[in-house]
Amino acid sequence: MSRHNEVVAGGCGVGAPPGTRASIVALRTPITAPIMIKIWNRIVPVPCSTVSTKDGKTITLAATLGIRITDPLKAMLTLMQPEISAGAFAQSVIAGFLLERRLDAVSLADLESHALAAISDFAPGVRVEFLRVVDFAVVKTIRLLQEGW
């Protein structure tokens, strides 16, 4: 390896989970200053969204996603911000699941397992550990259409 492309794995950093090995990776490139990437688990919020089911019912939900950066170089070259990208991708998968089903056919267990399977390999260098729905509500939406604004 040239001195500009070296990857240095350090020991456990401050705040690292017990038993974590090589929890911080420092990347040095000729273009940028050294970049420190923490590779232990990250908890990512999936933004709250409101989706209509196939039978016209409206559901509002939010979720939490756990990811781990397994290969910092691949993750950095593929995604600018892995947390935001993972949350947005999970949100689109969840919305697609709900749009295809009637309300009486929606279960949280099925939703979580479907979404986890769909996003399990969404980007190289990033592993999805878990997905949990943290907020789920069937809501009644009233939209007022007014003319003359």
Side-chain angles (χ1 to χ4, degrees):
M1 266 197 254
S2 74
R3 65 183 183 89
H4 292 296
N5 294 327
E6 60 186 281
V7 175
V8 180
C12 292
V14 176
T20 302
R21 282 190 253 151
S23 60
I24 297 177
V25 174
L27 301 174
R28 294 182 180 95
T29 65
I31 299 169
T32 64
I35 300 169
M36 299 299 283
I37 300 173
K38 297 177 183 176
I39 59 173
W40 54 74
N41 283 348
R42 299 171 188 209
I43 306 300
V44 179
V46 177
C48 185
S49 58
T50 302
V51 182
S52 294
T53 59
K54 195 172 189 177
D55 56 352
K57 304 295 182 189
T58 305
I59 296 175
T60 299
L61 71 118
T64 302
L65 187 63
I67 65 170
R68 176 181 284 272
I69 306 297
T70 56
D71 187 337
L73 184 58
K74 284 183 184 177
M76 187 177 75
L77 293 174
T78 305
L79 302 168
M80 182 175 220
Q81 297 175 326
E83 295 92 350
I84 294 171
S85 300
F89 188 67
Q91 185 181 31
S92 67
V93 168
I94 290 169
F97 177 86
L98 293 173
L99 286 169
E100 296 171 352
R101 287 166 178 73
R102 297 176 52 85
L103 179 61
D104 56 2
V106 173
S107 77
L108 290 181
D110 290 344
L111 173 65
E112 289 175 352
S113 63
H114 171 80
L116 187 60
I119 63 175
S120 62
D121 60 347
F122 89 103
V126 179
R127 184 175 70 221
V128 177
E129 300 282 338
F130 65 87
L131 181 132
R132 298 287 182 271
V133 173
V134 295
D135 186 16
F136 184 89
V138 179
V139 297
K140 186 168 190 158
T141 304
I142 300 172
R143 294 192 171 102
L144 300 175
L145 300 176
Q146 296 181 351
E147 293 182 21
W149 283 73

